[in-house]
Amino acid sequence: MFFALLPAPLTSGPQDQPDVSAVLSAYTQQGDPALYEEYYSSLKRFIESVLDCHRAELSQLFYPLFVHMYLELVYNQHENKAKSFFDKFHGDQECYYEDDLRILASLTKKEHMKGNETMLDFRTSKFVLRISRDSYQLLKRHLQERQNNQIWSIVQEHLYIDIFDGMPRSKQQIDAMVGSLSGEARREANKVKVFFGLLKEPEIEVPLDDEDEEGENEEGKPKKKKPKKDSIGSKSKKQDPNAPPQNRIPLPELKDSDKLDKIMIMKESAKRVRLGPELLPSICFYTFLNAYQGLTAVDITDDSSMIAGGYSDSTVRVWSLTPKKLRSVKSTADLNLIDKESDDVLERIMDERTASENKVLFGHSGPVYATSFSPDRNYLLSSSEDGTVRLWSLQTFTCLVAYKGHNYPVWDAQFSPYGYYFVSGGHDRVARLWATDHYQPLRIFAGHLADVISTRFHPNSNYVATGSTDRTVRLWDVLNGNCVRIFTGHKGPIHTLTFTPNGKFLASGSTDSRVLLWDIGHGLMVGELKGHTNTIYALKFSRDGEILASGSMDNTVCLWDAVKTFEDLETDDFTSATGHINLHENCQELLLGTYLTKSTPVIHLHFTRRNLLLAAGAYSPQ
């Protein structure tokens, strides 16, 4: 192969979880169980009596304290007291903790706690609260004066209070950032430098004879193209100051076919429509009719020539989106008869007898949850409930490899924009980085507290973003496997992620019907888009990053003004230091249009090289 394996060791996976009994034993008998309700009530009365500016911040304590006090009562077998405590105070918690409280309500006996993952997560990861120094001093003084040792010991043992200097945050600012399983991200978690710039494009000369052929009778055509090539050449000579070193991670060398493809991309981008609020894209919708096998995943090739669907009956189906039919390579015996030197050898090796509009790929033994085409269109990845990721050849339409590393369902898999590498995420709470020619993963990204359900490579391929049911988005460094960003703010599992073409921003969509936007360099939330009424399953920026398209289970595609969203950002040092964010008051101003399907949830979006928007989903009869 063209380079050696990456040199860092694998990080630990969930198999290193602490021993359950050791974790639970931290809930030793402390304090009088009869007083728990009084402890909590007195804290509640105190927080409700302080000034408004402190109240919003201190109210963050209610949820983690409620959970720990309840679990402590259950662990120490005060079941009736625990039930009474739960019934009395669970209604005070924020609505976005509803699902967690439902699980908590089912833990009524010490035995229930033994194998419960949610409980373990809560115990082992300190819940993070971000509070101003003034609010923290108020709390500390109150608890010490009251000799409320029970609550103070929980605060010290189970919570991590991230104290900042400056004005307390408003309720709106706090609400935007909280909601994950483990509270907010610690500020130092987002301080590591991230190389979010793009790698320098290789310089490729656009051959003139190609252009002459294309514009046979149009004399103006080659002349128009020539300066375009120059501008592309000059742009690629400048190195982006925020880009990683070119050789930071080994990337595959360009093959001749890749170079031809790059030339095609340059020509196509010359004809690209420049989108904006005044010029919205046309949307072409591919509806999968009669998809009784249950369509679960869709992907479209970069050149928009093929579409693949993953189904819950364990099949993968591939269609051609052009008049050109899908053909397999001839048998070995027939290939030996071909003249290898002929100009059209690539045409001759294809077997016309196998031509058809679609192909079905059999191999998985459970529902297929993700499909992803390689950039060169030679391969297709699929991931499944059967715990494997499969690599299919699009020359022979057969399975080449089944990668076995996840022990549970694999919810997502995605190719790197440079090919060769791919990332997968699953129910085992980790994401894995693979190379197509290695059976074992090269990296294991461990840190999420629940299933990893969405994965996405950064455009420079040096980072991977993951979204999880723990309601956080994390950014991982491919070089060493470290987590370099943790983004909190979603109130539900994160089903889709997409980067802006320039690599500076990330958008995430969730079951909470919101799209959140993140500044990768500063590690901050910079936008919140509300317009959908159901889970968002698809997000995509246009090729020049001017428009963000979002697709949802509410059967709509929304278009958002990405330029306006990102242009007024005030990411000064103070904002970065405290995490105070001021989101657009009215996100309806950013919504450029909503397009409704008859009854088709949108599960995939794709912008063609000329900025036509393709959407896909399976029609669901009411």
Side-chain angles (χ1 to χ4, degrees), residues 33-59:
L35 293 174
Y36 272 43
E37 288 189 18
E38 179 46 40
Y39 289 148
Y40 192 87
S41 298
S42 89
L43 181 72
K44 194 176 155 189
R45 284 194 299 274
F46 162 70
I47 290 175
E48 284 168 357
S49 70
V50 298
L51 291 171
D52 288 0
C53 62
H54 300 300
R55 188 186 311 148
E57 287 200 321
L58 293 178
S59 297

Side-chain angles (χ1 to χ4, degrees), residues 12 22 45 50 146 224 261 315 317 322 335 351 401 433 450 465 469 501 564 569:
S12 63
R45 284 194 299 274
V50 298
R146 287 296 169 96
K224 260 194 273 178
D261 211 39
T315 58
R317 292 157 197 262
T322 63
L335 288 175
D351 188 347
V401 199
L433 177 82
T469 52
K564 194 170 178 185
L569 294 182

Side-chain angles (χ1 to χ4, degrees), residues 324 327 330 343-352:
K324 206 170 164 186
R327 299 167 300 170
K330 289 179 178 171
D343 289 342
D344 61 344
V345 66
L346 291 175
E347 266 305 301
R348 291 189 185 196
I349 61 172
M350 303 317 267
D351 188 347
E352 283 303 326

Side-chain angles (χ1 to χ4, degrees), residues 60-227:
Q60 295 177 79
L61 279 161
F62 287 144
Y63 175 67
L65 283 175
F66 170 78
V67 176
H68 280 297
M69 291 171 87
Y70 174 74
L71 291 175
E72 216 162 271
L73 286 169
V74 172
Y75 182 76
N76 293 314
Q77 297 179 320
H78 304 294
E79 287 160 24
N80 293 335
K81 290 272 187 293
K83 187 178 182 330
S84 152
F85 183 81
F86 188 91
D87 292 345
K88 188 166 179 184
F89 298 116
H90 79 97
D92 299 342
Q93 310 308 323
E94 296 284 0
C95 57
Y96 39 79
Y97 292 122
E98 252 173 41
D99 291 343
D100 297 350
L101 292 173
R102 207 169 295 129
I103 294 170
L104 203 62
S106 65
L107 300 175
T108 54
K109 289 185 162 51
K110 185 175 178 176
E111 297 72 59
H112 297 169
M113 296 169 72
K114 287 279 163 63
N116 191 287
E117 291 173 346
T118 311
M119 214 295 310
L120 268 178
D121 293 336
F122 217 88
R123 267 293 301 115
T124 51
S125 57
K126 287 195 165 189
F127 196 92
V128 181
L129 306 168
R130 197 177 295 169
I131 291 180
S132 67
R133 193 171 297 285
D134 295 351
S135 302
Y136 177 68
Q137 296 296 359
L138 265 176
L139 172 73
K140 192 173 171 185
R141 201 176 311 128
H142 166 76
L143 293 177
Q144 287 174 344
E145 279 172 11
R146 287 296 169 96
Q147 304 253 297
N148 200 336
N149 298 335
Q150 190 57 34
I151 285 186
W152 187 237
S153 65
I154 290 179
V155 167
Q156 289 183 304
E157 194 177 338
H158 299 300
L159 310 188
Y160 175 91
I161 299 196
D162 193 356
I163 301 168
F164 63 87
D165 293 303
M167 288 280 291
R169 292 184 300 168
S170 67
K171 174 104 173 84
Q172 178 206 4
Q173 285 172 321
I174 292 167
D175 277 349
M177 299 294 288
V178 297
S180 96
L181 262 183
S182 54
E184 288 189 58
R186 302 181 185 197
R187 276 171 304 149
E188 69 260 28
N190 292 340
K191 288 283 185 276
V192 185
K193 179 170 172 55
V194 170
F195 297 105
F196 56 80
L198 303 185
L199 295 172
K200 206 165 109 180
E201 283 289 320
E203 288 181 35
I204 298 170
E205 291 297 312
V206 178
L208 271 172
D209 55 350
D210 247 2
E211 292 167 1
D212 288 339
E213 278 168 32
E214 221 178 280
E216 283 163 33
N217 305 323
E218 296 172 43
E219 291 163 26
K221 205 160 193 179
K223 285 179 192 152
K224 260 194 273 178
K225 276 279 197 303
K226 193 86 175 79

Side-chain angles (χ1 to χ4, degrees), residues 280-291:
L280 297 179
S282 300
I283 306 176
C284 171
F285 202 102
Y286 290 95
T287 305
F288 289 71
L289 294 170
N290 308 322

